[in-house]
Amino acid sequence: MRHWSEGLVDELAQRMGGSPDRRVLTNRLAQVGREIEILSGRSYRPLRRTTSVIEPNGLPFVDIPDLQVGSMEPGAGAWEIPDPVNPQMATVLQMSPMAEPVSKASPPADALAMAGWLVAEASQKGRLTGDYVLHWLGTHVDFERREELFRRVMDPAVRFYVPILALAGNGWWIQIARRLIWVTGETEDEGRLIELLLNDTTAEGQVPPLAAVEAILIAVPLQRQPADWAFAARIWPQQAHRPTNRPWSRLATAIHGHGIPTITLDAQSTPHETVCQVVLKAYWHGYLTGDEPALANAVARAYPRQVARIQRETRTPNRTFAAATLLEQLIRPGFDPAQGAEATRRYVRRKASIAVMEHRKREAPERYPWTRVGISERRYYKLLPQFAQKVNGRYAYDHDDVVVRMKNHLDRTDQARTVRAAALDVLRAHGFRDAAARKWLQRHRPEDAVHAWPRGRRPQ
């Protein structure tokens, strides 16, 4: 079966025009398509029926890719949970009924903050590594049963899950798990990252292709049976290898609208940063609204220096207002998860600086040359190369001198535009059509328009 991206070749060739090489377009679209699948955690296959044998190992919930709601066989003993953002799809499957649903659960934003703490704990304890998966197998699977386990995992239809951490509290169930796969030529690509677990070679000199899929965080409220709301997110460690050579701003809308949130971690990630990243990703992907107090609180705790700077520079009454100001900058498209956790910190620091600069522009506009000229900052820097030269990569100039010269330039430009508009009116009054009048002005001075007439219409 062809990759879904190959169906876009004709449309792309039509937009480009000419006679592009179809093989080059096909290869490039397939490359971009796979990068989108990696970033979104989905494969976007056509509708089809498959059979899966799920071994949750005590987990009440598991992740399931590209499941259409209502497509499961009746009496399957499991329940799909519609995704809150894409209700026709399900990314989480409930494997066992709740003993007794709770009457009250904390708001989703608070629960996801608690989920962030669980992710941070798993990272600090080393449970997100492949070594922990092997440790779990060695502890829970007898040596005699391992060959049988590997044989089951070799079956592409078997989904074998390894529990990492789980927590129940405030009316929520939160868990982290990884799935085992046996990588072969028949293994389907679900858009997930995988980690080979075994390094020892066999007698034939080959490395056993036992691998674990990226860790998956799942948070589900326990108020209804079956559950009707679920949040799933992927966890990428520092060692993950991802494609980064594409503009994130062009992909962000598609990833946030149809993909699974991705949380990135490294050795420098603090628990508060992890919590903030979880709630921000949930916000960008549509699971939370922007008015949740937990969002501003998470930002304030994760980035105290940036929030303190905003509070100091903007003179906001308290830290919560300063965090809300920073949160206003942290809107979509957000940061690219493929760049890693350090890029996330740089992104937040940059947005804090932007918030401070925008406040200064509003409070003291006379300090900036573009406000003195009466134009936008964008237009000012577009005109600046005409009036100053760069020295060591930066413009070196006297602001007052440039402001005067730029004002004179803009005044001359406005005057020329006014004269041209008056000349066009005169030419139209003399009988010129619009296209003919503009063409006439390309060849003559505007002052001569009073004596210009179309052929055969000059008055005697």
Side-chain angles (χ1 to χ4, degrees), residues 67-147:
L67 177 63
Q68 293 283 330
V69 173
S71 62
M72 291 183 59
E73 293 290 342
W79 301 267
E80 70 266 31
I81 305 177
D83 186 79
V85 178
N86 299 304
Q88 74 278 6
M89 301 290 297
T91 56
V92 177
L93 200 63
Q94 182 176 346
M95 298 305 302
S96 57
M98 301 177 193
E100 184 177 354
V102 300
S103 59
K104 185 178 181 181
S106 61
D110 296 334
L112 294 183
M114 185 168 58
W117 282 105
L118 189 68
V119 173
E121 180 182 356
S123 178
Q124 291 175 347
K125 292 183 176 180
R127 294 198 173 191
L128 300 179
T129 63
D131 291 338
Y132 178 79
V133 176
L134 293 176
H135 170 75
W136 186 91
L137 291 174
T139 304
H140 294 81
V141 181
D142 297 337
F143 182 80
E144 295 77 11
R145 296 171 48 207
R146 291 177 191 174
E147 184 176 352

Side-chain angles (χ1 to χ4, degrees), residues 34 47 61 92 102 107 110 135 157 171 178 200 218 223 229 240 256 261 276 298 311 332-333 349 372 387 442-443:
R34 290 188 178 93
L47 291 178
F61 303 96
V92 177
V102 300
D110 296 334
H135 170 75
R178 299 185 72 174
D200 298 334
I218 295 177
Q223 291 179 285
W229 196 98
H256 288 157
C276 182
Q311 182 179 0
R332 298 175 182 175
R349 290 195 294 266
R372 294 164 58 187
F387 304 94
Q442 292 175 2
R443 302 177 178 178

Side-chain angles (χ1 to χ4, degrees), residues 166-179:
L167 172 67
N170 297 333
W172 286 76
W173 173 267
I174 303 172
Q175 68 176 46
I176 302 174
R178 299 185 72 174
R179 181 167 57 89

Side-chain angles (χ1 to χ4, degrees), residues 338-354:
Q339 301 294 332
E342 176 57 31
T344 301
R345 290 187 281 271
R346 290 197 304 268
Y347 175 82
V348 174
R349 290 195 294 266
R350 175 59 180 160
K351 289 299 185 179
S353 298
I354 291 175

